[in-house]
Amino acid sequence: MHAATAPSAPRHHRASTLKPTLIARAVCAALLGLPLLMGTGGSLAQSAVVETSRSYAVPAGPLAGALVNLAAQAGIQLSVDASLTAALHSPGVRGTHTVDAALAAALAGTGLEAIRRGDNEYTLRKLPPRAAGETTLAPVTVAATATNPAVTEDSASYTTPQMGTATKLALAMRETPQSVTVVTRQRMDDSAALTLSDVLRGTPGLNVSNADGPGRTSFGARGFALDNVMYDGLPSRYQGWVVGTVPNMAMYDRVEVVRGATGLVTGSGNPSAAVNVVRKRPTADTRLSLTARAGSWDNYQGEVDASGPLNAAGTLRGRVVGSLQEANTFRDGEEYRHGLFYGVVEADLGERTTLTLGASYQDDYTNHFWGGLPLTADGRHMNLPRSANPSNDWERKNQYLSTVFGDLVHRLDNGWTLRLAASQSWQDAVFLGTYIYRDATTDVLGHNAWRGDYDEDQATYDAYASGPFQLFGRQHELAFGTSRRQVDMRTQNYSGGGIISAGIDLWNWDNGSIAEPDFVPTTTSRNVTTQDGLYLTTRLNLADPLKLILGARLDWYDYDNRSGSGDYSVTRNLTRYGGIVYDLDHQHSLYASYTDIFQPQTNKGVDGKLLEPVQGENYELGIKGEYFGGSLNASAAVFQIEQSNRAKLLADQGPCPSYPGTSCYEASGLVRSKGVELEIQGALSPDWQVAAGYTYVSAEYVRDADQSNEGKNFATDSPHSVFKLSTLYRFGGALQAWRVGGSLYRQSRIYNDGTLPDGTAFRVQQKGYTLADLMVGYRVDKQLDLQLNVNNLFDRKYYKAVGYDTRWGSTDTYGDPRSFMLTARYSFF
């Protein structure tokens, strides 16, 4: 039978692989700066791992996953024949062990043993019949709850053995033919990342923007806006400029990111990225931790996390997470609040069936979210103090998000898994704010006010099956399923807004000097968007070093305007996925992939019909490396995205139907994004974690409705190049209680071009800048841990968003000055 390998396992060596191996190591070293000692051959970091005892946290579950998890934690290479581990379970490994002892514990009762082949290389084999003792072995009973090897909690790692966001197949990063990143729980804790915005600011290839206002956060990648956030693999619409709630990270284990077009898993959207936040799940052991944080500008946060079995057998487990944060900011009078409650229960309905039910509630508030600082009349920064706050004391943005979710997982004897998942959320939001305007005649500043109330309900359902199958003497993998998404949005409009002041002085501004307008409810609107899909993905094992991943998805998209006209639909849109991965050796892979995604549009052609959906196509080539048994992952990629079918206004409107106020378009607009991404994440040694990435993106209009845009930058307020680095080092010996880390952020300039009322062009920009953060941690004892984070260590003054107009709604927004955050975490168990 053909020998399959676990994600972290070495491939079989052949004499002919010597040359590709050397080429791959040279390419990775040149592109990523990796020392050649990470290749094959005994390095100090590798050989030391085998002999040293260390702490393991490998949950009970399917043997294959347990071995992948153990190999990653131990930093070893473990060759596994899939036929040996099929349908077997591991009792897991907890506590401090040598590698040999840990492997023996993980294999207890399975009739298998691990044999050392080198300093850090092992292979799996059956025990001889006499040693196996098949007639005397006590039965091993293992609960059906198998923690996914991708879980990062307790791993102390900056990477993970596998992820499934890109294809719904559980693959190692090196086996995924796209640029991927996993931000682990350890990395979030080290950087004191409290929200998804904090996480993505440090994630390679992702942009966090406040171009719509200080309190309206949007995300982007590869030049395009991100319009979906996934929760446990289920996509949910995200509109940062309207009702997009930024997730509170207290309840999440990790964030998986796939860059490029991701229509196979999200359906409709932009060719930017898929961001999948994965919830914490109940643990098999009892845990209780309390966390308190105190920081600059009266920033206080408390958190409780309790988890464990709810019955003696451990077949019913639960977890509760609560978090509350109240803070001021560096802007005068600005404050915000984040509240979170999360509860989840997990039940083993049998040895192979697990039911999970959970609910969460998030409450966010800020009193300054919309208008940033204005530009001067001639299109320059006003250079107001960073503490300047142009808002009024009655402004507010309240968001309340309630979610219930569940999934049912059943594992079959043949290695197949069936999963049914559902999520329902209810979001209520009140937006009441102003932005600054400038009177073109008098050149004085004033406020323009607005209020809107939103009620957004989202429901997502997904059912799929995945598992191995045999064909032509080889084992392959398949996943197929169906999904449904529905977004029901109701909006309450108000009168009483508009221009409410004039002649204000922002250098001496009193935010209590203007009374709240008398907003009166007027009209309401409602629209319902429904999307149904069928999808299939397969990973074909064409040869020992060659894997082909193919996928397809059919979508039916329907937009129903319940309060007016403008309904439209898309029928049987075909999304395609193709990727090929070639293993140069047991550590390096080359890959090429094609992915796409669609976005419906409402513009019509001369025939009166809707234009075809906007298509986003992603082409990518790359090389990936996996070192120390999967403890370190590295990648280098080049990509090109073409977003085509964009609506382009026809120059000749003569043939256009004579509908009132109607113009005709053609689907010929094109934006092209090209770039390079380099990344490394994981352990350079057992005590040194690192995550670093460099991204260069150039996105330009090729064809556009406004021909003057052609050849210009498509996203001027996103940087062309960004370098991000996060690292942590744990000391040993007499200093073993200490750890030190930090981060470095470097981006190129951002700018916006505009036109003055007299027709003169202007440009406002923020030049490239570098930020440095520092972290120092000290473990007082087994229960108490202290940590100090210093952000913007050198107090760099910069704009994280720049304005675009001298008259209306400009959003010059300063980045945070130097700040401090002290964290104390006490663990009772």
Side-chain angles (χ1 to χ4, degrees), residues 299-503:
N299 185 354
Y300 301 107
Q301 192 251 358
E303 182 181 314
V304 59
D305 188 341
S307 180
L310 301 178
N311 63 359
T315 56
L316 182 66
R317 301 165 297 280
R319 188 164 195 164
V320 173
V321 177
S323 174
L324 179 63
Q325 181 183 19
E326 295 194 7
N328 299 323
T329 79
F330 64 92
R331 284 182 279 264
D332 292 337
E334 184 179 61
E335 58 187 41
Y336 61 89
R337 180 183 66 246
H338 299 294
L340 171 73
F341 174 80
Y342 168 62
V344 60
V345 175
E346 199 172 64
D348 297 332
L349 304 184
E351 288 190 359
R352 300 184 181 275
T353 306
T354 305
L355 173 66
T356 304
L357 297 173
S360 64
Y361 175 77
Q362 184 170 329
D363 175 356
D364 293 344
Y365 163 84
T366 181
N367 63 350
H368 177 47
F369 70 94
W370 192 8
L373 301 174
L375 302 177
T376 62
D378 57 353
R380 294 176 291 110
H381 298 299
M382 285 190 69
N383 291 319
L384 289 157
R386 284 186 284 188
S387 59
N389 181 353
S391 67
N392 299 274
D393 58 7
W394 41 263
E395 296 185 33
R396 65 185 183 275
K397 173 182 157 184
N398 292 92
Q399 291 181 269
Y400 311 94
L401 177 63
S402 301
T403 303
V404 296
F405 68 94
D407 66 54
L408 181 66
V409 178
H410 181 70
R411 291 165 287 274
L412 302 176
D413 290 338
N414 59 2
W416 275 71
T417 298
L418 310 178
R419 184 187 184 218
L420 175 64
S423 176
Q424 173 75 56
S425 65
W426 300 267
Q427 182 170 197
D428 298 318
V430 176
F431 284 20
L432 173 59
T434 67
Y435 64 81
I436 299 293
Y437 86 98
R438 170 177 275 105
D439 188 290
T441 303
T442 63
D443 198 29
V444 299
L445 300 176
H447 282 96
N448 190 71
W450 167 85
R451 175 173 177 171
D453 296 355
Y454 297 91
D455 183 4
E456 182 185 70
D457 300 343
Q458 294 201 50
T460 309
Y461 309 94
D462 188 66
Y464 74 93
S466 63
F469 67 96
Q470 297 288 329
L471 184 66
F472 302 124
R474 290 185 175 274
Q475 181 167 288
H476 316 276
E477 298 159 71
L478 178 68
F480 61 90
T482 181
S483 66
R484 179 180 179 86
R485 294 174 59 187
Q486 187 172 81
V487 181
D488 188 340
M489 171 72 88
R490 291 175 291 277
T491 304
Q492 175 66 63
N493 301 305
Y494 288 82
S495 65
I499 297 174
I500 61 172
S501 67

Side-chain angles (χ1 to χ4, degrees), residues 417-762:
T417 298
L418 310 178
R419 184 187 184 218
L420 175 64
S423 176
Q424 173 75 56
S425 65
W426 300 267
Q427 182 170 197
D428 298 318
V430 176
F431 284 20
L432 173 59
T434 67
Y435 64 81
I436 299 293
Y437 86 98
R438 170 177 275 105
D439 188 290
T441 303
T442 63
D443 198 29
V444 299
L445 300 176
H447 282 96
N448 190 71
W450 167 85
R451 175 173 177 171
D453 296 355
Y454 297 91
D455 183 4
E456 182 185 70
D457 300 343
Q458 294 201 50
T460 309
Y461 309 94
D462 188 66
Y464 74 93
S466 63
F469 67 96
Q470 297 288 329
L471 184 66
F472 302 124
R474 290 185 175 274
Q475 181 167 288
H476 316 276
E477 298 159 71
L478 178 68
F480 61 90
T482 181
S483 66
R484 179 180 179 86
R485 294 174 59 187
Q486 187 172 81
V487 181
D488 188 340
M489 171 72 88
R490 291 175 291 277
T491 304
Q492 175 66 63
N493 301 305
Y494 288 82
S495 65
I499 297 174
I500 61 172
S501 67
I504 64 174
D505 179 7
L506 291 184
W507 292 94
N508 301 283
W509 173 239
D510 175 7
N511 65 4
S513 61
I514 298 176
E516 179 179 347
D518 184 16
F519 289 105
V520 178
T522 55
T523 61
T524 60
S525 60
R526 182 186 178 197
N527 59 74
V528 178
T529 304
T530 305
Q531 183 173 322
D532 297 299
L534 299 171
Y535 57 85
L536 180 147
T537 311
T538 185
R539 180 173 183 254
L540 301 175
N541 183 5
L542 303 182
D544 284 353
L546 186 63
K547 307 297 186 295
L548 176 66
I549 299 178
L550 297 174
R553 180 186 179 103
L554 281 177
D555 280 293
W556 289 260
Y557 186 102
D558 180 76
Y559 175 85
D560 180 9
N561 188 343
R562 300 285 177 89
S563 54
S565 59
D567 296 354
Y568 59 90
S569 62
V570 176
T571 302
R572 292 189 302 276
N573 182 87
L574 175 63
T575 296
R576 298 150 295 175
Y577 186 103
I580 190 164
V581 180
Y582 180 75
D583 293 338
L584 296 171
D585 55 33
H586 70 281
Q587 289 181 309
H588 303 96
S589 299
L590 291 174
Y591 74 89
S593 65
Y594 167 87
T595 60
D596 64 14
I597 196 168
F598 78 103
Q599 186 74 279
Q601 54 185 333
T602 59
N603 293 307
K604 296 180 179 180
V606 294
D607 57 2
K609 296 182 180 179
L610 289 174
L611 300 182
E612 291 295 313
V614 176
Q615 294 291 328
E617 299 177 296
N618 187 95
Y619 305 86
E620 191 167 324
L621 293 171
I623 182 172
K624 293 189 177 184
E626 183 182 72
Y627 309 96
F628 307 149
S631 293
L632 181 69
N633 288 280
S635 64
V638 294
F639 64 85
Q640 177 172 300
I641 295 176
E642 294 196 347
Q643 192 184 51
S644 58
N645 287 355
R646 294 170 61 92
K648 188 175 187 294
L649 185 70
L650 287 173
D652 181 9
Q653 292 288 312
C656 189
S658 57
Y659 302 133
T662 299
S663 298
C664 290
Y665 296 79
E666 61 179 346
S668 64
L670 173 64
V671 169
R672 179 174 294 135
S673 171
K674 298 182 291 185
V676 176
E677 290 183 332
L678 310 175
E679 185 171 10
I680 179 173
Q681 51 187 312
L684 295 176
S685 75
D687 298 315
W688 188 7
Q689 298 289 331
V690 65
Y694 171 78
T695 305
Y696 175 82
V697 178
S698 175
E700 295 183 347
Y701 291 98
V702 179
R703 296 185 298 273
D704 190 59
D706 182 353
Q707 293 186 359
S708 66
N709 283 333
E710 295 179 2
K712 292 182 178 180
N713 191 346
F714 173 65
T716 63
D717 54 4
S718 295
H720 274 307
S721 61
V722 180
F723 174 75
K724 302 179 182 181
L725 167 68
S726 298
T727 188
L728 173 75
Y729 186 80
R730 297 179 182 276
F731 293 97
L735 299 176
Q736 63 181 349
W738 290 91
R739 63 188 184 278
V740 64
S743 65
L744 193 67
Y745 177 94
R746 169 69 187 179
Q747 76 163 53
S748 61
R749 69 168 180 165
I750 57 175
Y751 66 92
N752 279 317
D753 290 330
T755 305
L756 300 178
D758 63 3
T760 303
F762 72 90

